[in-house]
């Protein structure tokens, strides 16, 4: 997915839920942790919710501060259990071997994170897995980077039924804790301030069959993951444009609501709001933009009285239209009409 300057990268709110759960397990108050981060508690009850990447980073930073554990990301990874990341998780865990599991992670990770990517590089006896953000000038915050690489080793060990020690680990950031914290997870002491964050695993381990592999379930899960991935690719078709069209078509028949537009697009109100936010806009912003554009068109038709223009734009009364028009143009509707002569 390509991001422009106006795009807001998002991640699954499941990551936020995981951070909160891990911090709560250390005795932290969830409300205190969420305070000031921008995390909406409603996301905890919405399996499809996504949150801005900036919110995730603030949660990681605050969790480190409140728990007093610089290696909080490593701790969070050590407690990973099956199913915490839904379809992505099951696609990985039903793979026939660790190499296929990594390939699925690389392919389907966009279901969880807009920017994070994995590159799997075979190097003979070892395989290097590099983790980065696909956006110029951006990189994972240190706790998130440590959680991600530690998760690779933890999940690989769970799948294989035995510890999978790393051959080497590298992080872009400086060391954040005592080396023993890293050695307990990875089996080695990482290198720090490296060009890219990565973990290196023995190739022969990656080709071992996963004892609990389930081919039938694997086919079902990966088919579903492919459908979700295709939906991600279609989303930039620009939902905002679809909403604008619905507004323009329905406005003359009375102001149409968020509920109405969401129903026309086969979305819940919450999903529509969330997806518009991911495109750096909102339903209210689009209503205002469409009204402004239509106002210019209607004002050019002098057969329409100003009261009729207000009605066609869905305003409840002419005074509301008057205020909006002055905000858009700096002048009143009547003055704008006079200036045309």
């Amino acid at each position: 997915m390509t991001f422009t300057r106006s795009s807001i990268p998002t991640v699954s709110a499941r990551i936020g839920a995981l951070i909160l759960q891990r911090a709560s397990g250390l005795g932290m108050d969830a409300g205190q942790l969420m305070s000031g981060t921008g995390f909406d508690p409603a996301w905890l009850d919405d399996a499809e919710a996504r949150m801005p990447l900036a919110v995730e980073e603030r949660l990681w930073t605050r969790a480190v501060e409140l728990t007093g554990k610089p290696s909080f990301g490593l701790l969070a990874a050590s407690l990973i259990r099956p199913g915490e990341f839904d379809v992505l998780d099951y696609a990985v865990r039903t793979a026939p071997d660790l190499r296929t599991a990594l390939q699925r992670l690389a392919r389907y990770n966009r279901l969880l994170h807009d920017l994070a990517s994995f590159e799997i590089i075979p190097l003979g006896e070892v395989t290097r897995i590099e983790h980065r953000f696909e956006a110029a000038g951006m990189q994972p915050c240190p706790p998130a980077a440590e959680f991600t690489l530690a998760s690779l080793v933890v999940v690989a060990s769970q799948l294989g039924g035995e510890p999978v020690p790393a051959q080497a680990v590298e992080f872009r950031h400086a060391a954040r804790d005592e080396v023993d914290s890293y050695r307990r997870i990875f089996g080695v002491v990482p290198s720090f301030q490296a060009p890219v964050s990565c973990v290196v695993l023995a190739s022969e381990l990656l080709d071992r069959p996963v004892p609990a592999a389930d081919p039938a379930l694997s086919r079902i899960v990966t088919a579903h993951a492919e459908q979700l991935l295709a939906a991600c690719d279609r989303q930039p078709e620009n939902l905002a444009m679809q909403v604008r069209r619905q507004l323009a078509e329905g406005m003359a028949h009375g102001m149409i609501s968020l509920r109405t537009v969401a129903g026309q697009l086969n979305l819940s109100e919450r999903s529509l709001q969330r997806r518009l936010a991911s495109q750096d806009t909102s339903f209210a912003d689009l209503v205002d933009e469409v009204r402004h554009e239509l106002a210019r068109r209607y004002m050019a038709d002098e057969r329409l009285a100003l009261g009729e223009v207000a009605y066609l734009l869905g305003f409840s009364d002419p005074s509301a239209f008057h205020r909006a028009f002055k905000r858009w143009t700096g002048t009143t509707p009547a003055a704008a009409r006079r200036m045309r002569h």
Side-chain angles (χ1 to χ4, degrees):
M1 185 179 294
T2 301
F3 280 85
T4 64
R5 288 181 182 272
S6 63
S7 299
I8 299 176
T10 66
V11 303
S12 170
R14 289 174 180 270
I15 298 177
L18 179 144
I19 297 170
L20 290 168
Q21 192 273 334
R22 299 296 194 268
S24 296
L26 294 173
M28 296 297 102
D29 178 73
Q32 185 181 8
L33 178 57
M34 287 186 283
S35 177
T37 64
F39 186 87
D40 184 346
W43 292 338
L44 295 172
D45 298 320
D46 185 352
E48 298 180 0
R50 294 183 77 84
M51 61 183 183
L53 173 62
V55 172
E56 181 210 355
E57 293 177 341
R58 287 194 287 268
L59 281 172
W60 281 118
T61 300
R62 191 156 175 78
V64 169
E65 292 172 352
L66 292 179
T67 62
K69 293 186 177 297
S71 56
F72 179 80
L74 300 179
L75 170 67
S78 71
L79 298 174
I80 278 183
R81 294 296 178 266
E84 289 193 291
F85 295 122
D86 198 44
V87 177
L88 171 65
D89 204 343
Y90 290 117
V92 168
R93 290 179 182 272
T94 58
D97 52 60
L98 294 181
R99 188 176 302 280
T100 303
L102 285 173
Q103 292 168 345
R104 291 182 179 180
L105 172 64
R107 178 164 179 76
Y108 301 128
N109 194 62
R110 189 148 53 87
L111 300 178
L112 194 69
H113 200 299
D114 284 345
L115 296 186
S117 71
F118 296 91
E119 184 177 4
I120 304 166
I121 307 170
L123 298 171
E125 294 184 354
V126 298
T127 297
R128 180 181 174 93
I129 303 104
E130 295 185 351
H131 174 244
R132 58 171 60 84
F133 279 178
E134 294 298 329
M138 296 184 68
Q139 61 186 19
C141 67
E146 293 186 355
F147 169 79
T148 300
L149 293 195
S151 296
L152 294 180
V153 172
V154 170
V155 173
S157 299
Q158 292 174 351
L159 292 180
E162 59 182 285
V164 176
Q167 301 294 301
V169 178
E170 299 174 13
F171 287 111
R172 285 185 56 117
H173 56 266
R176 298 170 55 81
D177 206 346
E178 300 295 329
V179 294
D180 283 346
S181 298
Y182 297 97
R183 187 183 286 113
R184 278 193 293 271
I185 289 285
F186 297 110
V188 295
V189 176
S191 299
F192 295 94
Q193 298 180 310
V196 64
S197 294
C198 73
V199 61
V200 178
L201 302 177
S203 296
E204 65 92 10
L205 286 177
L206 301 187
D207 294 322
R208 291 181 184 174
V210 171
D214 186 333
L217 180 58
S218 180
R219 286 193 295 271
I220 294 170
V221 171
T222 54
H224 184 41
E226 288 294 335
Q227 290 177 338
L228 294 177
L229 198 61
C232 286
D233 292 334
R234 287 195 300 270
Q235 188 171 325
E237 171 195 356
N238 208 327
L239 180 66
M241 291 300 294
Q242 297 177 48
V243 172
R244 290 167 67 92
R245 185 172 62 253
Q246 294 288 347
L247 289 171
E249 292 173 356
M251 205 168 275
H253 304 293
M255 190 55 217
I256 54 178
S257 66
L258 171 65
R259 175 179 295 180
T260 302
V261 173
Q264 290 167 336
L265 297 175
N266 296 315
L267 294 170
S268 68
E269 293 176 53
R270 181 179 290 177
S271 293
L272 176 57
Q273 290 173 310
R274 183 175 65 247
R275 289 176 58 177
L276 288 176
S278 75
Q279 295 183 16
D280 200 20
T281 189
S282 69
F283 186 75
D285 287 342
L286 294 176
V287 169
D288 196 60
E289 290 171 12
V290 171
R291 279 175 160 169
H292 186 187
E293 292 173 8
L294 291 179
R296 294 169 57 187
R297 185 185 310 170
Y298 294 151
M299 288 291 288
D301 186 350
E302 297 192 3
R303 295 172 298 178
L304 293 173
L306 295 182
E308 291 176 305
V309 173
Y311 172 78
L312 290 171
L313 295 177
F315 285 102
S316 57
D317 59 77
S319 62
F321 167 54
H322 178 100
R323 291 191 297 272
F325 192 88
K326 191 167 186 179
R327 174 168 54 82
W328 295 328
T329 66
T331 189
T332 65
R337 274 277 171 87
R338 287 195 298 269
M339 291 170 61
R340 297 182 63 85
H341 295 288

